[in-house]
Amino acid sequence: MAPKIKDVAKQAGVSVTTVSRVLNGEKYVKDDLKIRVQRAIDELGYTPSHIARSLVRKKTNLIGVIVPDVTSSFYSTILSTIEKTASLNGYNLLVCNIIEDTDKELKYLQVFQQMRVDGIIIMHEKLNDEIRDLINKMSIPIIFSSVKPADQKFISVIIDDYAAAYDATKHLIELGHERIGYIGGDMRDITSGQNRYAGYIRALADHGIALPEAHIRFGDYKTQSGYEMMKEILAQKPHPTAVFAVSDDMAVGAMNCIHDHGLKVPEHLSVIGFDGSQLTEQVRPRLTSMEQPILEMGKVTVDKLLELIEEKEGGPAEDVILQHMLVSRDSCMDVKRGE
Amino acid sequence: MAPKIKDVAKQAGVSVTTVSRVLNGEKYVKDDLKIRVQRAIDELGYTPSHIARSLVRKKTNLIGVIVPDVTSSFYSTILSTIEKTASLNGYNLLVCNIIEDTDKELKYLQVFQQMRVDGIIIMHEKLNDEIRDLINKMSIPIIFSSVKPADQKFISVIIDDYAAAYDATKHLIELGHERIGYIGGDMRDITSGQNRYAGYIRALADHGIALPEAHIRFGDYKTQSGYEMMKEILAQKPHPTAVFAVSDDMAVGAMNCIHDHGLKVPEHLSVIGFDGSQLTEQVRPRLTSMEQPILEMGKVTVDKLLELIEEKEGGPAEDVILQHMLVSRDSCMDVKRGE
């Protein structure tokens, strides 16, 4: 059994009230009593219950986080930054890794509610009606990070996914590519599915390039699906000279598929990814990618959530849109100059 | 403000006692009262406080997890499995990502204690005296996963790191390699530092191969350090024909360095990794690796911790040693046959 306050009192030879006064840092407690109590606390390994104190303070310093898949390079990096920023501010994380399980998400949101977390961060946007109902009823501050679901009142910390996809596609066009394949996300997702696809389509249209229907596929953001979608695209001859995948993991899957077909990146096929995760530097050729400012996104998410929790004046009233940035590495070839 | 039990009572037009009886699932509550209370609960979005109930039940269903670095492919995968297994058993995770910050770890362990977590999982072994003192005093069940620190009373779920490193080295020897470089871990770590190095040394000795001092370096398990250590090894001519790195991330860094020097894996240099993370399949050539059963390790860690928490008869009294397994992919060449 964990030692209780009365055990401390007994060990120190003082009353429970005295222990309590020492713990609360009250003035006018004699130094020798303080020392005796502190020694008893150390000897017994006593810690005041966070649970009991939470009931009084009405604050738990917990943040609940819903992450779609912690094994993805994007989410593990943003989670790491969220944890770091939260910890620096004295908050601890309850983490739920949902992997497309809405029942689990609903259950976890209820746990967050029961645990009286001070705030919630959600990093996906496939909200079913039950989840939508629940979060709309909650009185806990909620913020979305990297996604912007439709029809909800909460603030998001995101990039402009439409513009970022537009710019990635335009980069390939400016390198002289005209047959540009696309490996998209889940089209039920607005941010990373629909918005990025719309940006791709618009960039092609603005440059007078017809949509290459045979070379457009949709995956689930993971490496394996990038591989499989690329295989289907390569089966459609003539193959494209470039492909844009909307996650780095899928782009790496596509590069591996191209390699396994005896073709070279970028000599035979240019590949551009999306996210700017650490995977871009781990593969050869190094992956050109449309970067989200992942570290900043994690930090700003926590900062904004804390503003909501602490109801600061001038707290966030609207979405925070961070800057995307193309980082050119070795996976795209300039076909105009025949490099 | 979150709705309270008295708000539910008022909304339902019943007494607080009736709401309480419905919530506790007591018999002899009239069906129409149950329906009215349930409707009020739904309308108000009321949830009973987990905090208040924890005080009564003396159980929080929380597990605290200390993970060294969630962005590493090994730790993100094992964390994902730990979360999944915990969740299936009705437990939720408080996650601390320490990144070599012992002050933070100490603070988090104290938070775990104050939060009255039911159990703690620790996935690193660099315990300073303060941390060692604290965990030895705690009355909370603790289990170590993937590591076995020296001089402590807790159970570990691990592989036999010495034997695994021995077998990885022996694999290279059996392929005909005699100049086998080594990129080790932190030698302050017993499990992944000292034990793996000892296995490597012993395998060489057992096969009459002298220790190639010029080709031995120690990194920090991350891709970048694998790259840098490989660079130093390549500067020592003649370079080895094979290199064993004790994490997949470092092995990938080594492969990238070899590639950037205009050399080919495995034609000029064979590379073998350690862990069996998803990175092994994400790179080309695909990485041969000494696999830890990561998913099983995460699951068994939680299973054993739950046995300790629930004080089951026949609960774990000693370490659980899981099987390692060499998975041969495309990064090692048989130099005997000149393949």
Side-chain angles (χ1 to χ4, degrees), chain B residues 48-217:
Chain B
S49 161
H50 184 90
I51 296 170
R53 282 191 296 137
S54 291
L55 274 179
V56 178
R57 292 191 310 131
K58 297 189 185 298
K59 204 157 174 316
T60 56
N61 282 45
L62 283 175
I63 294 174
V65 182
I66 305 272
V67 58
D69 177 11
V70 76
T71 67
S72 114
S73 49
F74 175 76
Y75 290 114
S76 66
T77 307
I78 193 166
L79 180 63
S80 163
T81 311
I82 285 173
E83 199 273 349
K84 185 178 163 198
T85 312
S87 174
L88 282 173
N89 286 283
Y91 284 79
N92 308 298
L93 299 191
L94 267 170
V95 175
C96 170
N97 188 40
I98 51 169
I99 317 197
E100 302 249 340
D101 182 341
T102 45
D103 287 345
K104 185 174 169 189
E105 180 175 8
L106 191 68
K107 208 192 76 191
Y108 251 91
L109 284 166
Q110 288 163 340
V111 168
F112 290 169
Q113 198 174 19
Q114 289 166 12
M115 292 292 302
R116 299 284 188 264
V117 300
D118 292 330
I120 295 174
I121 296 169
I122 302 180
M123 288 195 267
H124 82 113
E125 55 176 276
K126 278 194 214 72
L127 311 174
N128 66 18
D129 289 344
E130 254 181 318
I131 290 171
R132 218 173 265 276
D133 269 7
L134 178 63
I135 62 177
N136 275 310
K137 270 187 198 159
M138 279 187 183
S139 54
I140 301 167
I142 295 176
I143 202 161
F144 282 84
S145 190
S146 82
V147 290
K148 175 76 189 165
D151 308 327
Q152 49 77 27
K153 63 184 180 183
F154 304 102
I155 288 163
S156 284
V157 177
I158 41 171
I159 58 166
D160 182 339
D161 286 90
Y162 172 85
Y166 186 100
D167 292 347
T169 311
K170 189 169 154 229
H171 176 70
L172 293 172
I173 295 169
E174 286 173 351
L175 291 175
H177 294 279
E178 294 182 351
R179 292 204 311 277
I180 301 172
Y182 181 79
I183 302 178
D186 188 329
M187 284 300 273
R188 291 171 298 171
D189 293 337
I190 295 164
T191 326
S192 49
Q194 298 169 26
N195 289 352
R196 292 181 195 169
Y197 187 50
Y200 160 75
I201 290 176
R202 183 58 187 254
L204 293 184
D206 281 357
H207 294 81
I209 300 175
L211 204 62
E213 314 254 0
H215 295 144
I216 294 173
R217 291 292 185 284

